[in-house]
Amino acid sequence: SRIKMAATLKPYLGAVRATLEAAMCLENFSSQIVERHNKPEVEIRSSKEVLLTPVVVSRNEKERVLIEGSINSLRISIGIKQADEIEKILCHKFMRFMMMRAENFVVLRRKPVEGYDVSFLITNFHTEQMFKHKLVDFIIQFMEDIDKEISEMKLAVNARARICAEEFLKKF
């Protein structure tokens, strides 16, 4: 693999990478219902024959990736590790922050699929304008970095809480 990763994440991210690379065969496909329309079939779900079977790559019940493919689009939904209440809050706030700026991320959806924390939508237009392997690298890098970011934020929150508690308890 081109990216250095933690030993425990390696098989999980390797499986996600292989599945994404296999599913990233997208082509232009006009709507079969409305003439001159080209909508992501994975979102519209108008024709069953152009949808692929959804695949879930799971590390455990909380850390998982749902990859839904169709002829012209690919939706990747990621469940992020949340070990405790602080991590749940931090993850929710961070994802909300990112989704409010979804237009800056191009492939990020404003609303995740139910049961997941963040979703990406890649269409055939994205694969025509960008390198497919770079899109896959971006998703994998995002999955690596999001765990690190949430862990760092949790450490910062705990450090601040400790300092606040010490200052408060000095009065007694």
Side-chain angles (χ1 to χ4, degrees), residues 1 6 28 43 54 64 68 85 95 115-116 123-124 132 169:
S1 179
N28 196 8
E43 298 273 321
R64 63 199 193 288
E68 301 170 281
E85 206 59 40
M95 289 304 118
Y116 291 86
T123 65
N124 62 296
K132 290 179 186 180
L169 293 173

Side-chain angles (χ1 to χ4, degrees), residues 141-159:
Q141 190 67 48
F142 176 85
M143 290 174 68
E144 279 185 353
D145 291 348
I146 199 68
D147 284 343
K148 287 180 202 159
E149 288 290 329
I150 290 173
S151 295
E152 286 171 12
M153 284 191 277
K154 183 180 175 184
L155 289 172
V157 166
N158 286 338

Side-chain angles (χ1 to χ4, degrees), residues 58-93:
S58 180
R59 187 172 179 209
N60 54 46
E61 66 276 350
K62 292 204 173 35
E63 278 184 277
R64 63 199 193 288
V65 178
L66 171 65
I67 300 169
E68 301 170 281
S70 72
I71 194 162
N72 68 351
S73 54
L74 184 65
R75 184 167 56 194
I76 302 122
S77 303
I78 302 171
I80 298 164
K81 178 186 72 166
Q82 297 161 33
D84 56 19
E85 206 59 40
I86 292 174
E87 284 186 9
K88 285 180 186 171
I89 292 166
L90 289 171
C91 180
H92 176 73
K93 294 287 184 190

Side-chain angles (χ1 to χ4, degrees), residues 4-163:
K4 287 196 300 190
M5 57 185 88
T8 56
L9 275 177
K10 206 170 201 164
Y12 172 59
L13 294 178
V16 171
R17 176 183 293 280
T19 309
L20 284 174
E21 287 170 351
M24 195 79 70
C25 303
L26 307 176
E27 61 182 54
N28 196 8
F29 187 79
S30 298
S31 172
Q32 294 179 314
I33 296 163
V34 183
E35 192 175 328
R36 295 180 144 195
H37 274 238
N38 190 332
K39 301 266 195 261
E41 288 292 332
V42 77
E43 298 273 321
I44 304 299
R45 298 197 159 309
S46 61
S47 311
K48 281 191 167 49
E49 63 270 12
V50 297
L51 297 173
L52 299 173
T53 305
V55 176
V56 176
V57 179
S58 180
R59 187 172 179 209
N60 54 46
E61 66 276 350
K62 292 204 173 35
E63 278 184 277
R64 63 199 193 288
V65 178
L66 171 65
I67 300 169
E68 301 170 281
S70 72
I71 194 162
N72 68 351
S73 54
L74 184 65
R75 184 167 56 194
I76 302 122
S77 303
I78 302 171
I80 298 164
K81 178 186 72 166
Q82 297 161 33
D84 56 19
E85 206 59 40
I86 292 174
E87 284 186 9
K88 285 180 186 171
I89 292 166
L90 289 171
C91 180
H92 176 73
K93 294 287 184 190
F94 192 57
M95 289 304 118
R96 220 175 116 230
F97 172 82
M98 287 184 60
M99 285 176 214
M100 289 172 73
R101 292 151 182 83
E103 64 278 349
N104 298 334
F105 290 96
V106 184
V107 295
L108 184 68
R109 287 182 82 228
R110 284 204 177 273
K111 195 170 181 206
V113 170
E114 196 172 319
Y116 291 86
D117 301 304
V118 65
S119 292
F120 296 93
L121 178 68
I122 299 172
T123 65
N124 62 296
F125 300 113
H126 294 130
T127 58
E128 289 168 10
Q129 294 166 0
M130 303 176 221
F131 292 116
K132 290 179 186 180
H133 68 279
K134 291 290 185 188
L135 284 166
V136 173
D137 286 348
F138 169 74
I139 300 291
I140 299 298
Q141 190 67 48
F142 176 85
M143 290 174 68
E144 279 185 353
D145 291 348
I146 199 68
D147 284 343
K148 287 180 202 159
E149 288 290 329
I150 290 173
S151 295
E152 286 171 12
M153 284 191 277
K154 183 180 175 184
L155 289 172
V157 166
N158 286 338
R160 285 183 71 179
R162 187 171 31 264
I163 291 167

